[in-house]
Amino acid sequence: MGKSSKDKRDAYYRLAKEQGWRARSAFKLLQLDEEFDLFSNVSRVVDLCAAPGSWSQVLSRVLIKGEKFGRSAWQDRDAKVRQQMLGVFSDAFTPEQKESIENSTWSGDEAAQNNGVDAAASRDVKIVSIDLQPISPLAGITTLRADITHPATVPLLLSALDPSYDPAAVAGTQAQHPVDLVLSDGAPDVTGLHDLDIYVQSQLLFAALNLALCVLKPGGKFVAKIFRGRNVDILYAQLKIFFEKVIVAKPRSSRASSVEAFIVCLNFRPPAGFQASLEEPLGVGQRLDTLVREREMQLPIVAEATMQSEKGTWDCSAVSTPATSHESGITEVEVYDEVEGNNMGNGARWIAPFIACGDLSAFDSDASYQLPEDYVSLDPVQPPIAPPYKRALEMRAGLSKPAKV
């Protein structure tokens, strides 16, 4: 699809280039932060599956440069205007109104002092971006080209956060769990087969979660992309084991026609005695056969029952669900309880709350907006360094010729 046609289709695509973002996904993180205040009290951040770096760019501009966007930027502008009005029309305000404005705004000296504190705090911010694809450099961001499923990635990550990190340190100490926030915006190349795409995405989320469990400090946050589908509540219940609050969020910049959403996990609290390791990650893996055999041994043995109706009788094969047989030939089958609740041990489902993020007055990501006649299409802020189609472009340009068969 050509550049001009995409500009006409997606408003956030145009806004990303106009505001200097590498990709439109930057608005998703900004809207998530506006709803959940993800960046408060955060100084150590890990961005997984970071290429091309739009989320890392948001982290750099917010945490390191101190820029504000969305509601917080509007509040600052409003406070500045009210402070200017107080200086120009001081006689028009009552003492109570003056006191209210002064309490809600800063004086010049206080603002300068606060900027000094922010500058000192920004020097302590450490942000690490990890991806298999190369990422163009960003101010204040350490980029690693590594596999998030490999056990060697965790020591590499901890060394990037703290140059004095000692791999021989005792596992589970605070020095080895320095991360406040772990983000993952990774997604597989979709095939169009929704069940397959949802499964592959869930495995990618588990890979990000396994790494997050190795480095998150108690009280940390975890945000990752998910594809909503059938039985996704099982994933919510698994995340609820490690985090106090698990919420599904859909930013307004995410197209409503997409199954994409974001799982926001707050207040990391691992179970007592839990030790995370990429060598023994969560999930099934090679233990599938063992788990299946153990599950089969736990299932009750149900004898065949004869069911009777007005037309006669017929035989019913053994029921595979938990059941109880009586001498009268009646079989009582336990029905799966779909009542929402936190009692997951009794088979009840736990359904995460759903929140739509973003101002309703913002652009609709599924709508098409008319462009002005004098509109000029802009180039991408940061073209990909090594796109998958690079080889095809070189062959087309004649830089290299395909080998003869």
Side-chain angles (χ1 to χ4, degrees):
M1 179 176 292
K3 179 170 58 176
S4 60
S5 60
K6 179 176 286 189
D7 280 352
K8 293 179 181 179
R9 183 190 66 182
D10 192 343
Y12 287 100
Y13 177 83
R14 300 194 307 271
L15 286 176
K17 293 190 295 183
E18 293 172 1
Q19 298 181 11
W21 301 112
R22 294 188 173 186
R24 65 187 300 280
S25 57
F27 295 103
K28 301 175 185 178
L29 181 58
L30 291 173
Q31 291 172 354
L32 289 172
D33 172 61
E34 190 175 18
E35 180 69 32
F36 299 101
D37 199 14
L38 297 176
F39 301 148
S40 64
N41 302 322
V42 167
S43 60
R44 298 290 188 273
V45 187
V46 177
D47 185 13
L48 306 178
C49 307
S54 60
W55 278 26
S56 297
Q57 189 181 13
V58 172
L59 296 172
S60 176
R61 294 178 63 174
V62 173
L63 297 180
I64 297 178
K65 297 181 180 180
E67 299 183 31
K68 294 185 178 181
F69 304 93
R71 185 185 299 114
S72 60
W74 177 85
Q75 290 174 346
D76 280 2
R77 289 194 299 267
D78 180 68
K80 184 178 180 180
V81 170
R82 294 201 299 169
Q83 189 177 21
Q84 293 175 349
M85 292 177 60
L86 179 61
V88 176
F89 305 103
S90 59
D91 297 336
F93 295 93
T94 63
E96 293 77 9
Q97 292 174 338
K98 291 181 179 180
E99 183 179 359
S100 176
I101 294 176
E102 290 174 353
N103 292 335
S104 61
T105 58
W106 294 330
S107 64
D109 296 338
E110 291 175 340
Q113 295 176 1
N114 187 77
N115 290 335
V117 173
D118 290 344
S122 64
R123 288 195 294 268
D124 297 333
V125 173
K126 296 289 184 180
I127 303 173
V128 179
S129 301
I130 303 177
D131 201 295
L132 287 173
Q133 300 294 330
I135 305 174
S136 180
L138 282 166
I141 305 294
T142 302
T143 59
L144 301 177
R145 193 172 181 182
D147 184 0
I148 63 174
T149 63
H150 198 283
T153 302
V154 172
L156 187 65
L157 168 61
L158 296 176
S159 299
L161 291 172
D162 184 9
S164 62
Y165 163 71
D166 183 10
V170 180
T173 60
Q174 185 69 17
Q176 283 190 306
H177 295 74
V179 179
D180 303 306
L181 174 63
V182 176
L183 305 174
S184 176
D185 190 31
D189 294 332
V190 294
T191 63
L193 303 174
H194 296 302
D195 290 342
L196 176 61
D197 293 336
I198 291 172
Y199 171 76
V200 176
Q201 175 64 24
S202 66
Q203 297 307 304
L204 181 61
L205 188 149
F206 270 120
L209 175 64
N210 283 315
L211 190 144
L213 295 178
C214 296
V215 298
L216 269 180
K217 64 171 58 173
K221 310 168 189 176
F222 176 67
V223 180
K225 179 185 291 185
I226 64 169
F227 288 165
R228 292 181 297 159
R230 185 177 56 186
N231 298 329
V232 73
D233 54 301
I234 299 176
L235 176 61
Y236 304 154
Q238 292 169 328
L239 291 170
K240 195 68 167 62
I241 298 175
F242 300 97
F243 296 89
E244 181 181 358
K245 295 182 65 177
V246 178
I247 304 169
V248 181
K250 180 76 169 179
R252 187 168 175 80
S253 55
S254 177
R255 297 186 181 93
S257 56
S258 172
V259 296
E260 166 194 80
F262 293 89
I263 191 79
V264 180
C265 306
L266 306 175
N267 193 9
F268 176 57
R269 49 172 191 179
F274 173 76
Q275 291 291 337
S277 172
L278 288 186
E279 296 179 354
E280 285 291 333
L282 297 177
V284 178
Q286 299 179 352
R287 296 170 291 172
L288 177 60
D289 295 337
T290 303
L291 294 176
V292 170
R293 288 194 298 269
E294 292 179 354
R295 176 59 178 165
E296 291 177 349
M297 295 176 62
Q298 295 174 358
L299 291 175
I301 300 176
V302 182
E304 294 184 358
T306 301
M307 307 295 292
Q308 186 173 5
S309 68
E310 297 178 356
K311 298 182 179 179
T313 61
W314 63 90
D315 293 334
C316 182
S317 59
V319 182
S320 59
T321 55
T324 304
S325 298
H326 300 278
E327 296 179 357
S328 59
I330 300 176
T331 302
E332 296 179 358
V333 181
E334 180 181 352
V335 180
Y336 185 75
D337 186 9
E338 296 190 356
V339 179
E340 180 180 355
N342 294 327
N343 188 9
M344 294 176 287
N346 296 330
R349 299 170 61 190
W350 186 83
I351 302 176
F354 180 87
I355 295 179
C357 303
D359 193 345
L360 292 179
S361 62
F363 289 101
D364 184 358
S365 56
D366 288 288
S368 297
Y369 295 91
Q370 186 68 30
L371 293 175
E373 296 181 357
D374 57 347
Y375 176 78
V376 178
S377 179
L378 302 176
D379 292 326
V381 176
Q382 177 60 58
I385 298 178
Y389 51 84
K390 183 177 181 180
R391 175 64 175 169
L393 295 178
E394 292 176 350
M395 293 173 59
R396 180 182 298 178
L399 299 179
S400 63
K401 296 181 180 180
K404 295 183 179 179
V405 180

